[in-house]
Amino acid sequence: MEVIRAGTAGFCMGVSLALQKLEAALRERTADTERICTLGPIIHNPQVQEEYAAKGVARLDDPEQARPGDVVVIRAHGVTRQTEERLRAGGARVLDATCPKVKKAQLAIARATAYGAVLLLFGEADHPEVRGLVSYAGGPAHVFGGMEELTALPLPVDRPYVLASQTTQDRALFGTIEAYLLERLRKLTVLATICDATRERQEEARNIASRVDAMVVVGGRESGNTRRLADVARAAGIPTYHVERVDELQADLFAQNRRAGLTAGASTPKSLIDAAEERLASL
């Protein structure tokens, strides 16, 4: 089967930087007793998480699990301001591996809402990046996942508002949301917080999906940007398979296909994308 592979598939800049910081922490460990930890998964990819667990990296799910002297790497998605403060107060040595694009969004939200403006954040309420972004708001905050949730919010027109987005959201939908709010609110500041890499990946996935019989998206199921790539492909009306592991690509799924598209989330290792391409090409 012919495979069209996305040039943008694989690690983004923020993920690469986060893993470089974790690798540096492992190299610079001063004693075998010194714990190197991440707060939550360093990135949303199960294979990468397994790799670092095998290297002795401890995953903490709560800042209270950190011990004095631990090296705690803040993951690419970032954490809340309160969480970082608790880590430092507990005696941990914090290495901030927050993606620069996420950090820029956090600081932009802090500045724009410093005098009490209401934050309207387009994103997944339970995603760690979104919880971190909301923690930087200087006033009230509403998180919504789409137009239906947005239109249900009580928004008095005389208040100042700030519109921002999770960095991996759909830019086209954000544009629709922006136009809707500009028509209804008197005071609205719009922050451009969607990462360019996200836009480029979604546009390429949309382009490839228009030329193939089926689409494969490789990446962790916890990864928001990977799920949205799959949504973009499905919107083209073709069968789309979001897989974490190559053995999920069963031959019978592609029995009627001559050409498949292949892309991957921003936290998917190149080795996994290569293996998926090889598997598809062999069918």
Side-chain angles (χ1 to χ4, degrees):
M1 182 166 62
E2 180 186 357
V3 181
I4 299 179
R5 174 171 169 168
T8 55
F11 285 171
C12 67
M13 174 268 292
V15 166
S16 295
L17 288 175
L19 296 182
Q20 287 171 23
K21 289 192 176 184
L22 182 54
E23 287 288 349
L26 286 168
R27 287 194 305 270
E28 296 163 9
R29 181 161 38 184
T30 56
D32 291 340
T33 55
E34 183 181 56
R35 284 206 311 172
I36 307 297
C37 314
T38 64
L39 186 59
I42 183 66
I43 60 173
H44 279 154
N45 181 268
Q47 290 89 344
V48 171
Q49 293 172 40
E50 291 163 8
E51 175 186 344
Y52 282 105
K55 292 181 179 181
V57 175
R59 172 176 164 174
L60 309 181
D61 293 313
D62 189 287
E64 304 303 326
Q65 294 174 311
R67 307 168 190 162
D70 281 351
V71 175
V72 180
V73 181
I74 293 179
R75 57 191 174 181
H77 304 102
V79 296
T80 66
R81 299 174 83 162
Q82 296 82 1
T83 295
E84 185 172 349
E85 289 166 2
R86 286 162 64 191
L87 283 171
R88 295 186 188 279
R93 183 158 68 91
V94 176
L95 294 182
D96 190 356
T98 303
C99 168
K101 300 293 179 67
V102 175
K103 179 58 68 177
K104 182 179 178 181
Q106 291 174 344
L107 298 178
I109 286 171
R111 287 192 299 269
T113 62
Y115 298 102
V118 179
L119 174 64
L120 302 175
L121 185 65
F122 173 38
E124 301 166 281
D126 59 350
H127 194 283
E129 180 195 325
V130 170
R131 291 197 294 269
L133 292 173
V134 169
S135 76
Y136 280 77
H142 298 293
V143 178
F144 60 94
M147 286 298 299
E148 184 176 351
E149 292 179 32
L150 173 61
T151 55
L153 294 175
L155 302 177
V157 297
D158 56 339
R159 294 204 61 176
Y161 294 88
V162 173
L163 173 64
S165 173
Q166 185 178 356
T167 60
T168 56
Q169 282 293 345
D170 186 304
R171 189 182 292 264
L173 181 51
F174 184 77
T176 300
I177 290 165
E178 178 182 352
Y180 170 83
L181 290 173
L182 284 171
E183 287 183 356
R184 286 158 178 78
L185 303 177
R186 295 175 187 167
K187 301 176 184 177
L188 179 67
T189 300
V190 181
L191 303 179
T193 55
I194 295 180
C195 175
D196 286 340
T198 295
R199 173 185 55 78
E200 291 165 2
R201 288 164 190 269
Q202 291 174 356
E203 287 179 355
E204 188 175 26
R206 193 173 289 113
N207 178 272
I208 292 175
S210 70
R211 297 184 284 136
V212 297
D213 305 311
M215 197 77 177
V216 172
V217 182
V218 186
R221 290 191 173 85
E222 292 183 2
S223 167
N225 78 86
T226 307
R227 291 196 304 271
R228 275 180 284 284
L229 283 174
D231 290 341
V232 165
R234 291 189 188 99
I238 60 171
T240 299
Y241 306 100
H242 177 180
V243 301
E244 285 189 337
R245 301 180 186 276
V246 174
D247 58 15
E248 296 176 54
L249 297 173
Q250 300 299 317
D252 59 328
L253 297 175
F254 305 92
Q256 307 301 318
N257 303 145
R258 291 178 175 272
R259 180 183 293 172
L262 175 64
T263 190
S267 54
T268 306
K270 180 178 181 296
S271 59
L272 189 57
I273 307 168
D274 290 343
E277 182 176 15
E278 183 178 343
R279 168 65 176 158
L280 289 170
S282 72
L283 298 179

